[in-house]
Amino acid sequence: MKVAIVIPNLNGEKYLQDSIDSLLSQTQQHTIIVVDNASTDNSSKIIKSNKDVILLENKENLGFAGGVNTGIRYALDNDFEAIALFNNDAIAEPTWLEELVKVMVSGEKIGIVACYFQKIDKKHIDSTGDLYTIWGLPYPRDRDQKVTDVTRDKLEPVFGASGGASLYRSSMLRDIGIFDEDFFAYYEDVDISFRAQLKGYKIMFAPKSVAFHIQGATATKISGFATYQTFKNFPLVVIKNVPAGMLFQVLPRFWLAYLSIFVSSSLKGGFVPAISGWWASVRLTPKKLRARKQIQKNATVTNDYIRSIIVHDLPPNATKLRKLRTIFTLGLR
């Protein structure tokens, strides 16, 4: 299988070379493509010093979604059969890519393969795939759990995969489309995973594929960035992807959760980025409704299938929402 690895980069000089070195040591043959999002540090020099790495330079910061799309388009144009995405602040074990490829070639309908993404301390989990809830809230499976406390040693299906270290089948991307650049960053990987599921592609977790992540190394540099993107992108995933037959179950829960998270963020000083993110989602709604029409028209799976692969509960860390649910119940439990 001809594989490309795409690394999006923005001012990542602190971690970038270590990330590239780990990919140069992979047991699976591949091509590395680094997409630079108009960095102002020494990233370009670092990338150019690696003669076996392809550098693509964007003239402006297109975010994670736009950055990886630049690399994905290049890979699709050059007939790569699969495209792995890898964060510039992540480190891969030597067999990371080989194990992803093994799983992908085992079934034609496997569209995405997620790895065992641990935190850089190698003691805690970043993600073992993404999950989506009946409340319209996605979350990374097993996040912050100790590696020693969670047994993840079996190949198994998951709802979605982290864009930070996963493998995507090129033919699937040609079928469902690439990342939605209006997301910019955060939950664009949930969106593309949902679209893949609606078209009948399987997403698998490969336990033997291991990488390590310095979580939030880029986003934490920008005040209010995560809050803005979260409040913008949460509704967009619902608008585009939740089937009509499930909206009566998801929407009441989602808006209760959204309002609760909004109040909580505002009380912590995040009112401006939260309200700005909400307004951005409102402005994008007509465009996403048009996208929804095509996505739902092309869906090949039933509502019952989607119900079977989502979590019928709140995310584990939604403690305030659990209290709110207990108080009001609303018949939604």
Side-chain angles (χ1 to χ4, degrees):
M1 177 170 267
K2 185 180 178 184
V3 184
I5 302 176
V6 174
I7 306 175
N9 178 70
L10 175 64
N11 296 328
E13 63 176 348
K14 184 176 180 181
Y15 310 106
L16 185 56
Q17 187 59 59
D18 288 340
S19 180
I20 291 173
D21 286 343
S22 75
L23 297 180
L24 290 172
S25 300
Q26 291 296 297
T27 55
Q28 170 74 40
Q29 187 174 358
H30 64 283
T31 299
I32 300 173
I33 303 166
V34 180
V35 181
D36 190 71
N37 265 338
S39 294
T40 55
D41 63 4
N42 291 317
S43 291
S44 290
K45 286 184 178 180
I46 293 171
I47 300 164
K48 290 174 182 176
S49 69
N50 294 272
K51 59 183 178 63
D52 294 326
V53 174
I54 296 171
L55 170 62
L56 303 178
E57 296 181 284
N58 288 327
K59 294 181 179 179
E60 60 182 305
N61 179 16
L62 301 180
F64 179 88
V68 297
N69 277 353
T70 298
I72 289 171
R73 291 187 187 99
Y74 177 92
L76 293 177
D77 289 344
N78 286 275
D79 298 321
F80 285 91
E81 299 169 89
I83 304 163
L85 305 185
F86 201 69
N87 278 0
N88 66 348
D89 58 351
I91 305 293
E93 286 198 342
T95 59
W96 167 76
L97 185 60
E98 179 182 352
E99 294 296 337
L100 293 177
V101 171
K102 281 181 183 178
V103 175
M104 181 160 284
V105 299
S106 69
E108 291 183 2
K109 290 303 289 183
I110 297 175
I112 309 174
V113 187
C115 77
Y116 194 161
F117 213 15
Q118 299 178 16
K119 294 190 176 183
I120 199 66
D121 64 6
K122 301 184 180 181
K123 296 179 181 179
H124 295 85
I125 298 171
D126 183 290
S127 169
T128 57
D130 287 337
L131 299 178
Y132 196 76
T133 74
I134 196 71
W135 288 74
L137 302 177
Y139 66 94
R141 187 174 67 159
D142 298 327
R143 174 159 289 179
D144 296 327
Q145 296 294 309
K146 289 184 177 180
V147 172
T148 54
D149 290 346
V150 179
T151 302
R152 292 294 181 196
D153 56 3
K154 295 181 180 179
L155 177 68
E156 58 186 338
V158 288
F159 180 87
S162 168
S166 296
L167 184 66
Y168 297 78
R169 188 182 294 272
S170 295
S171 59
M172 182 204 70
L173 294 172
R174 291 189 178 97
D175 184 18
I176 70 171
I178 55 180
F179 286 82
D180 185 337
E181 296 187 15
D182 287 328
F183 279 71
F184 195 81
Y186 288 84
Y187 308 110
E188 69 290 306
D189 48 4
V190 176
D191 171 66
I192 202 168
S193 293
F194 211 142
R195 285 188 275 136
Q197 293 282 10
L198 287 167
K199 281 301 297 284
Y201 291 97
K202 302 302 180 184
I203 302 174
M204 302 298 293
F205 165 67
K208 294 181 180 179
S209 173
V210 180
F212 308 98
H213 186 209
I214 304 173
Q215 197 180 72
T218 299
T220 53
K221 299 175 183 176
I222 308 170
S223 177
F225 178 80
T227 301
Y228 172 82
Q229 296 298 336
T230 295
F231 281 94
K232 172 171 67 71
N233 294 341
F234 266 175
L236 303 186
V237 176
V238 175
I239 291 167
K240 291 177 64 180
N241 299 296
V242 175
M246 293 177 59
L247 287 175
F248 75 98
Q249 294 174 299
V250 175
L251 281 179
R253 292 174 168 90
F254 174 74
W255 289 117
L256 176 63
Y258 193 83
L259 179 60
S260 174
I261 298 168
F262 180 87
V263 171
S264 179
S265 295
S266 297
L267 291 174
K268 295 176 183 177
F271 174 78
V272 172
I275 197 71
S276 299
W278 167 78
W279 181 240
S281 76
V282 171
R283 289 186 285 108
L284 284 166
T285 293
K287 182 179 180 181
K288 299 310 161 189
L289 285 172
R290 292 192 294 271
R292 172 188 175 81
K293 184 176 181 180
Q294 195 64 36
I295 291 167
Q296 300 302 322
K297 178 183 176 182
N298 293 334
T300 62
V301 299
T302 65
N303 290 354
D304 285 341
Y305 173 74
I306 297 298
R307 287 191 189 96
S308 74
I309 63 172
I310 66 174
V311 176
H312 291 258
D313 197 0
L314 285 161
N317 63 348
T319 52
K320 293 180 180 178
L321 271 172
R322 289 181 188 279
K323 293 178 181 177
L324 191 64
R325 182 179 63 179
T326 301
I327 294 170
F328 292 99
T329 66
L330 298 177
L332 295 174
R333 182 176 289 186

PDB file of all heavy atoms in Angstrom, residues 193-221:
ATOM      1  N   SER A 193     -15.466  11.488  10.533  1.00  0.00           N
ATOM      2  CA  SER A 193     -15.776  10.139  10.994  1.00  0.00           C
ATOM      3  C   SER A 193     -17.274   9.858  10.881  1.00  0.00           C
ATOM      4  O   SER A 193     -17.690   8.765  10.458  1.00  0.00           O
ATOM      5  CB  SER A 193     -15.319   9.946  12.441  1.00  0.00           C
ATOM      6  OG  SER A 193     -13.916   9.987  12.557  1.00  0.00           O
ATOM      7  N   PHE A 194     -18.096  10.838  11.234  1.00  0.00           N
ATOM      8  CA  PHE A 194     -19.553  10.689  11.137  1.00  0.00           C
ATOM      9  C   PHE A 194     -19.948  10.493   9.672  1.00  0.00           C
ATOM     10  O   PHE A 194     -20.760   9.616   9.333  1.00  0.00           O
ATOM     11  CB  PHE A 194     -20.252  11.926  11.725  1.00  0.00           C
ATOM     12  CG  PHE A 194     -21.591  11.644  12.347  1.00  0.00           C
ATOM     13  CD1 PHE A 194     -21.975  12.316  13.506  1.00  0.00           C
ATOM     14  CD2 PHE A 194     -22.475  10.735  11.783  1.00  0.00           C
ATOM     15  CE1 PHE A 194     -23.212  12.066  14.094  1.00  0.00           C
ATOM     16  CE2 PHE A 194     -23.716  10.485  12.362  1.00  0.00           C
ATOM     17  CZ  PHE A 194     -24.086  11.156  13.519  1.00  0.00           C
ATOM     18  N   ARG A 195     -19.360  11.300   8.788  1.00  0.00           N
ATOM     19  CA  ARG A 195     -19.668  11.163   7.355  1.00  0.00           C
ATOM     20  C   ARG A 195     -19.274   9.785   6.832  1.00  0.00           C
ATOM     21  O   ARG A 195     -19.975   9.188   6.006  1.00  0.00           O
ATOM     22  CB  ARG A 195     -18.970  12.260   6.562  1.00  0.00           C
ATOM     23  CG  ARG A 195     -19.624  13.631   6.710  1.00  0.00           C
ATOM     24  CD  ARG A 195     -19.002  14.624   5.765  1.00  0.00           C
ATOM     25  NE  ARG A 195     -17.806  15.241   6.290  1.00  0.00           N
ATOM     26  CZ  ARG A 195     -16.682  15.428   5.609  1.00  0.00           C
ATOM     27  NH1 ARG A 195     -16.592  14.994   4.361  1.00  0.00           N
ATOM     28  NH2 ARG A 195     -15.654  16.021   6.156  1.00  0.00           N
ATOM     29  N   ALA A 196     -18.143   9.289   7.308  1.00  0.00           N
ATOM     30  CA  ALA A 196     -17.693   7.954   6.899  1.00  0.00           C
ATOM     31  C   ALA A 196     -18.680   6.883   7.377  1.00  0.00           C
ATOM     32  O   ALA A 196     -19.040   5.964   6.626  1.00  0.00           O
ATOM     33  CB  ALA A 196     -16.301   7.678   7.454  1.00  0.00           C
ATOM     34  N   GLN A 197     -19.121   6.998   8.620  1.00  0.00           N
ATOM     35  CA  GLN A 197     -20.067   6.028   9.159  1.00  0.00           C
ATOM     36  C   GLN A 197     -21.379   6.047   8.369  1.00  0.00           C
ATOM     37  O   GLN A 197     -21.959   4.982   8.081  1.00  0.00           O
ATOM     38  CB  GLN A 197     -20.351   6.330  10.636  1.00  0.00           C
ATOM     39  CG  GLN A 197     -19.175   6.117  11.565  1.00  0.00           C
ATOM     40  CD  GLN A 197     -18.929   4.647  11.896  1.00  0.00           C
ATOM     41  OE1 GLN A 197     -19.513   3.743  11.297  1.00  0.00           O
ATOM     42  NE2 GLN A 197     -18.035   4.406  12.849  1.00  0.00           N
ATOM     43  N   LEU A 198     -21.846   7.239   8.007  1.00  0.00           N
ATOM     44  CA  LEU A 198     -23.104   7.351   7.266  1.00  0.00           C
ATOM     45  C   LEU A 198     -23.015   6.694   5.888  1.00  0.00           C
ATOM     46  O   LEU A 198     -24.026   6.211   5.359  1.00  0.00           O
ATOM     47  CB  LEU A 198     -23.496   8.829   7.106  1.00  0.00           C
ATOM     48  CG  LEU A 198     -24.010   9.519   8.377  1.00  0.00           C
ATOM     49  CD1 LEU A 198     -24.060  11.028   8.172  1.00  0.00           C
ATOM     50  CD2 LEU A 198     -25.373   8.991   8.779  1.00  0.00           C
ATOM     51  N   LYS A 199     -21.818   6.642   5.312  1.00  0.00           N
ATOM     52  CA  LYS A 199     -21.633   6.007   4.011  1.00  0.00           C
ATOM     53  C   LYS A 199     -21.260   4.528   4.133  1.00  0.00           C
ATOM     54  O   LYS A 199     -20.951   3.869   3.135  1.00  0.00           O
ATOM     55  CB  LYS A 199     -20.550   6.739   3.203  1.00  0.00           C
ATOM     56  CG  LYS A 199     -20.996   8.016   2.536  1.00  0.00           C
ATOM     57  CD  LYS A 199     -22.160   7.832   1.553  1.00  0.00           C
ATOM     58  CE  LYS A 199     -21.843   6.952   0.354  1.00  0.00           C
ATOM     59  NZ  LYS A 199     -21.028   7.619  -0.662  1.00  0.00           N
ATOM     60  N   GLY A 200     -21.282   3.988   5.326  1.00  0.00           N
ATOM     61  CA  GLY A 200     -21.063   2.567   5.509  1.00  0.00           C
ATOM     62  C   GLY A 200     -19.618   2.141   5.677  1.00  0.00           C
ATOM     63  O   GLY A 200     -19.322   0.935   5.673  1.00  0.00           O
ATOM     64  N   TYR A 201     -18.701   3.082   5.844  1.00  0.00           N
ATOM     65  CA  TYR A 201     -17.307   2.717   6.093  1.00  0.00           C
ATOM     66  C   TYR A 201     -17.121   2.382   7.565  1.00  0.00           C
ATOM     67  O   TYR A 201     -17.795   2.944   8.439  1.00  0.00           O
ATOM     68  CB  TYR A 201     -16.370   3.866   5.703  1.00  0.00           C
ATOM     69  CG  TYR A 201     -16.317   4.103   4.213  1.00  0.00           C
ATOM     70  CD1 TYR A 201     -17.098   5.088   3.624  1.00  0.00           C
ATOM     71  CD2 TYR A 201     -15.500   3.328   3.395  1.00  0.00           C
ATOM     72  CE1 TYR A 201     -17.070   5.306   2.253  1.00  0.00           C
ATOM     73  CE2 TYR A 201     -15.462   3.533   2.026  1.00  0.00           C
ATOM     74  CZ  TYR A 201     -16.250   4.522   1.459  1.00  0.00           C
ATOM     75  OH  TYR A 201     -16.223   4.716   0.101  1.00  0.00           O
ATOM     76  N   LYS A 202     -16.202   1.470   7.840  1.00  0.00           N
ATOM     77  CA  LYS A 202     -15.901   1.079   9.213  1.00  0.00           C
ATOM     78  C   LYS A 202     -14.676   1.842   9.720  1.00  0.00           C
ATOM     79  O   LYS A 202     -13.742   2.130   8.956  1.00  0.00           O
ATOM     80  CB  LYS A 202     -15.636  -0.427   9.301  1.00  0.00           C
ATOM     81  CG  LYS A 202     -16.787  -1.289   8.803  1.00  0.00           C
ATOM     82  CD  LYS A 202     -18.069  -1.021   9.566  1.00  0.00           C
ATOM     83  CE  LYS A 202     -19.203  -1.906   9.055  1.00  0.00           C
ATOM     84  NZ  LYS A 202     -20.488  -1.599   9.722  1.00  0.00           N
ATOM     85  N   ILE A 203     -14.689   2.147  10.999  1.00  0.00           N
ATOM     86  CA  ILE A 203     -13.563   2.799  11.657  1.00  0.00           C
ATOM     87  C   ILE A 203     -13.089   1.858  12.751  1.00  0.00           C
ATOM     88  O   ILE A 203     -13.870   1.450  13.619  1.00  0.00           O
ATOM     89  CB  ILE A 203     -13.964   4.168  12.229  1.00  0.00           C
ATOM     90  CG1 ILE A 203     -14.513   5.064  11.103  1.00  0.00           C
ATOM     91  CG2 ILE A 203     -12.771   4.837  12.915  1.00  0.00           C
ATOM     92  CD1 ILE A 203     -15.080   6.387  11.576  1.00  0.00           C
ATOM     93  N   MET A 204     -11.817   1.500  12.698  1.00  0.00           N
ATOM     94  CA  MET A 204     -11.287   0.493  13.598  1.00  0.00           C
ATOM     95  C   MET A 204     -10.203   1.069  14.507  1.00  0.00           C
ATOM     96  O   MET A 204      -9.438   1.956  14.097  1.00  0.00           O
ATOM     97  CB  MET A 204     -10.712  -0.677  12.804  1.00  0.00           C
ATOM     98  CG  MET A 204     -11.694  -1.352  11.863  1.00  0.00           C
ATOM     99  SD  MET A 204     -13.117  -2.100  12.705  1.00  0.00           S
ATOM    100  CE  MET A 204     -12.295  -3.430  13.602  1.00  0.00           C
ATOM    101  N   PHE A 205     -10.128   0.530  15.712  1.00  0.00           N
ATOM    102  CA  PHE A 205      -9.065   0.861  16.658  1.00  0.00           C
ATOM    103  C   PHE A 205      -8.011  -0.234  16.602  1.00  0.00           C
ATOM    104  O   PHE A 205      -8.319  -1.410  16.776  1.00  0.00           O
ATOM    105  CB  PHE A 205      -9.628   0.980  18.073  1.00  0.00           C
ATOM    106  CG  PHE A 205      -8.579   0.962  19.156  1.00  0.00           C
ATOM    107  CD1 PHE A 205      -7.678   2.004  19.287  1.00  0.00           C
ATOM    108  CD2 PHE A 205      -8.504  -0.107  20.048  1.00  0.00           C
ATOM    109  CE1 PHE A 205      -6.700   1.984  20.279  1.00  0.00           C
ATOM    110  CE2 PHE A 205      -7.538  -0.141  21.040  1.00  0.00           C
ATOM    111  CZ  PHE A 205      -6.636   0.914  21.159  1.00  0.00           C
ATOM    112  N   ALA A 206      -6.753   0.159  16.330  1.00  0.00           N
ATOM    113  CA  ALA A 206      -5.637  -0.787  16.222  1.00  0.00           C
ATOM    114  C   ALA A 206      -4.773  -0.687  17.472  1.00  0.00           C
ATOM    115  O   ALA A 206      -3.953   0.240  17.598  1.00  0.00           O
ATOM    116  CB  ALA A 206      -4.805  -0.482  14.976  1.00  0.00           C
ATOM    117  N   PRO A 207      -4.901  -1.597  18.417  1.00  0.00           N
ATOM    118  CA  PRO A 207      -4.227  -1.473  19.710  1.00  0.00           C
ATOM    119  C   PRO A 207      -2.701  -1.569  19.638  1.00  0.00           C
ATOM    120  O   PRO A 207      -2.008  -1.066  20.532  1.00  0.00           O
ATOM    121  CB  PRO A 207      -4.812  -2.624  20.524  1.00  0.00           C
ATOM    122  CG  PRO A 207      -5.253  -3.625  19.515  1.00  0.00           C
ATOM    123  CD  PRO A 207      -5.734  -2.816  18.347  1.00  0.00           C
ATOM    124  N   LYS A 208      -2.183  -2.216  18.590  1.00  0.00           N
ATOM    125  CA  LYS A 208      -0.733  -2.372  18.490  1.00  0.00           C
ATOM    126  C   LYS A 208      -0.053  -1.169  17.836  1.00  0.00           C
ATOM    127  O   LYS A 208       1.180  -1.103  17.792  1.00  0.00           O
ATOM    128  CB  LYS A 208      -0.399  -3.645  17.724  1.00  0.00           C
ATOM    129  CG  LYS A 208      -0.813  -4.924  18.438  1.00  0.00           C
ATOM    130  CD  LYS A 208      -0.419  -6.154  17.634  1.00  0.00           C
ATOM    131  CE  LYS A 208      -0.838  -7.432  18.336  1.00  0.00           C
ATOM    132  NZ  LYS A 208      -0.472  -8.642  17.548  1.00  0.00           N
ATOM    133  N   SER A 209      -0.845  -0.233  17.320  1.00  0.00           N
ATOM    134  CA  SER A 209      -0.305   0.984  16.731  1.00  0.00           C
ATOM    135  C   SER A 209      -0.270   2.065  17.806  1.00  0.00           C
ATOM    136  O   SER A 209      -1.313   2.536  18.258  1.00  0.00           O
ATOM    137  CB  SER A 209      -1.188   1.438  15.560  1.00  0.00           C
ATOM    138  OG  SER A 209      -0.774   2.693  15.073  1.00  0.00           O
ATOM    139  N   VAL A 210       0.927   2.460  18.213  1.00  0.00           N
ATOM    140  CA  VAL A 210       1.073   3.344  19.375  1.00  0.00           C
ATOM    141  C   VAL A 210       1.826   4.621  19.016  1.00  0.00           C
ATOM    142  O   VAL A 210       2.857   4.591  18.331  1.00  0.00           O
ATOM    143  CB  VAL A 210       1.809   2.619  20.525  1.00  0.00           C
ATOM    144  CG1 VAL A 210       1.952   3.527  21.736  1.00  0.00           C
ATOM    145  CG2 VAL A 210       1.062   1.334  20.906  1.00  0.00           C
ATOM    146  N   ALA A 211       1.289   5.742  19.475  1.00  0.00           N
ATOM    147  CA  ALA A 211       1.958   7.035  19.345  1.00  0.00           C
ATOM    148  C   ALA A 211       1.715   7.824  20.619  1.00  0.00           C
ATOM    149  O   ALA A 211       0.811   7.507  21.411  1.00  0.00           O
ATOM    150  CB  ALA A 211       1.452   7.795  18.124  1.00  0.00           C
ATOM    151  N   PHE A 212       2.529   8.868  20.815  1.00  0.00           N
ATOM    152  CA  PHE A 212       2.478   9.657  22.050  1.00  0.00           C
ATOM    153  C   PHE A 212       2.284  11.125  21.700  1.00  0.00           C
ATOM    154  O   PHE A 212       2.883  11.633  20.743  1.00  0.00           O
ATOM    155  CB  PHE A 212       3.763   9.457  22.852  1.00  0.00           C
ATOM    156  CG  PHE A 212       4.097   8.005  23.082  1.00  0.00           C
ATOM    157  CD1 PHE A 212       5.019   7.360  22.275  1.00  0.00           C
ATOM    158  CD2 PHE A 212       3.472   7.274  24.083  1.00  0.00           C
ATOM    159  CE1 PHE A 212       5.333   6.024  22.454  1.00  0.00           C
ATOM    160  CE2 PHE A 212       3.773   5.932  24.280  1.00  0.00           C
ATOM    161  CZ  PHE A 212       4.700   5.304  23.471  1.00  0.00           C
ATOM    162  N   HIS A 213       1.499  11.833  22.511  1.00  0.00           N
ATOM    163  CA  HIS A 213       1.056  13.177  22.153  1.00  0.00           C
ATOM    164  C   HIS A 213       1.285  14.183  23.279  1.00  0.00           C
ATOM    165  O   HIS A 213       0.963  13.911  24.436  1.00  0.00           O
ATOM    166  CB  HIS A 213      -0.451  13.124  21.821  1.00  0.00           C
ATOM    167  CG  HIS A 213      -1.017  14.402  21.306  1.00  0.00           C
ATOM    168  ND1 HIS A 213      -2.339  14.764  21.500  1.00  0.00           N
ATOM    169  CD2 HIS A 213      -0.455  15.412  20.590  1.00  0.00           C
ATOM    170  CE1 HIS A 213      -2.559  15.920  20.925  1.00  0.00           C
ATOM    171  NE2 HIS A 213      -1.441  16.345  20.385  1.00  0.00           N
ATOM    172  N   ILE A 214       1.826  15.349  22.902  1.00  0.00           N
ATOM    173  CA  ILE A 214       1.905  16.489  23.826  1.00  0.00           C
ATOM    174  C   ILE A 214       0.638  17.290  23.605  1.00  0.00           C
ATOM    175  O   ILE A 214       0.559  18.129  22.717  1.00  0.00           O
ATOM    176  CB  ILE A 214       3.143  17.360  23.566  1.00  0.00           C
ATOM    177  CG1 ILE A 214       4.410  16.510  23.640  1.00  0.00           C
ATOM    178  CG2 ILE A 214       3.211  18.513  24.571  1.00  0.00           C
ATOM    179  CD1 ILE A 214       5.658  17.242  23.224  1.00  0.00           C
ATOM    180  N   GLN A 215      -0.386  17.006  24.379  1.00  0.00           N
ATOM    181  CA  GLN A 215      -1.723  17.524  24.127  1.00  0.00           C
ATOM    182  C   GLN A 215      -1.795  19.041  24.216  1.00  0.00           C
ATOM    183  O   GLN A 215      -1.346  19.661  25.167  1.00  0.00           O
ATOM    184  CB  GLN A 215      -2.689  16.907  25.132  1.00  0.00           C
ATOM    185  CG  GLN A 215      -4.141  17.016  24.764  1.00  0.00           C
ATOM    186  CD  GLN A 215      -4.999  16.358  25.840  1.00  0.00           C
ATOM    187  OE1 GLN A 215      -5.136  16.886  26.945  1.00  0.00           O
ATOM    188  NE2 GLN A 215      -5.559  15.217  25.530  1.00  0.00           N
ATOM    189  N   GLY A 216      -2.364  19.685  23.149  1.00  0.00           N
ATOM    190  CA  GLY A 216      -2.621  21.115  23.169  1.00  0.00           C
ATOM    191  C   GLY A 216      -1.403  21.992  23.018  1.00  0.00           C
ATOM    192  O   GLY A 216      -1.445  23.180  23.362  1.00  0.00           O
ATOM    193  N   ALA A 217      -0.315  21.481  22.473  1.00  0.00           N
ATOM    194  CA  ALA A 217       0.918  22.254  22.384  1.00  0.00           C
ATOM    195  C   ALA A 217       0.775  23.488  21.500  1.00  0.00           C
ATOM    196  O   ALA A 217       1.433  24.501  21.720  1.00  0.00           O
ATOM    197  CB  ALA A 217       2.059  21.378  21.860  1.00  0.00           C
ATOM    198  N   THR A 218      -0.089  23.429  20.490  1.00  0.00           N
ATOM    199  CA  THR A 218      -0.305  24.579  19.606  1.00  0.00           C
ATOM    200  C   THR A 218      -1.448  25.445  20.084  1.00  0.00           C
ATOM    201  O   THR A 218      -1.323  26.660  20.222  1.00  0.00           O
ATOM    202  CB  THR A 218      -0.580  24.104  18.164  1.00  0.00           C
ATOM    203  OG1 THR A 218       0.552  23.379  17.686  1.00  0.00           O
ATOM    204  CG2 THR A 218      -0.823  25.297  17.243  1.00  0.00           C
ATOM    205  N   ALA A 219      -2.600  24.829  20.372  1.00  0.00           N
ATOM    206  CA  ALA A 219      -3.811  25.588  20.683  1.00  0.00           C
ATOM    207  C   ALA A 219      -3.696  26.400  21.963  1.00  0.00           C
ATOM    208  O   ALA A 219      -4.276  27.488  22.071  1.00  0.00           O
ATOM    209  CB  ALA A 219      -5.001  24.639  20.780  1.00  0.00           C
ATOM    210  N   THR A 220      -2.968  25.902  22.961  1.00  0.00           N
ATOM    211  CA  THR A 220      -2.883  26.609  24.236  1.00  0.00           C
ATOM    212  C   THR A 220      -2.117  27.916  24.142  1.00  0.00           C
ATOM    213  O   THR A 220      -2.141  28.720  25.065  1.00  0.00           O
ATOM    214  CB  THR A 220      -2.212  25.708  25.302  1.00  0.00           C
ATOM    215  OG1 THR A 220      -0.953  25.219  24.789  1.00  0.00           O
ATOM    216  CG2 THR A 220      -3.097  24.521  25.652  1.00  0.00           C
ATOM    217  N   LYS A 221      -1.446  28.154  23.021  1.00  0.00           N
ATOM    218  CA  LYS A 221      -0.723  29.410  22.836  1.00  0.00           C
ATOM    219  C   LYS A 221      -1.673  30.567  22.530  1.00  0.00           C
ATOM    220  O   LYS A 221      -1.284  31.725  22.593  1.00  0.00           O
ATOM    221  CB  LYS A 221       0.295  29.280  21.698  1.00  0.00           C
ATOM    222  CG  LYS A 221       1.378  28.230  21.925  1.00  0.00           C
ATOM    223  CD  LYS A 221       2.270  28.102  20.689  1.00  0.00           C
ATOM    224  CE  LYS A 221       3.303  27.002  20.862  1.00  0.00           C
ATOM    225  NZ  LYS A 221       4.114  26.819  19.617  1.00  0.00           N
TER     226      LYS A 221
END
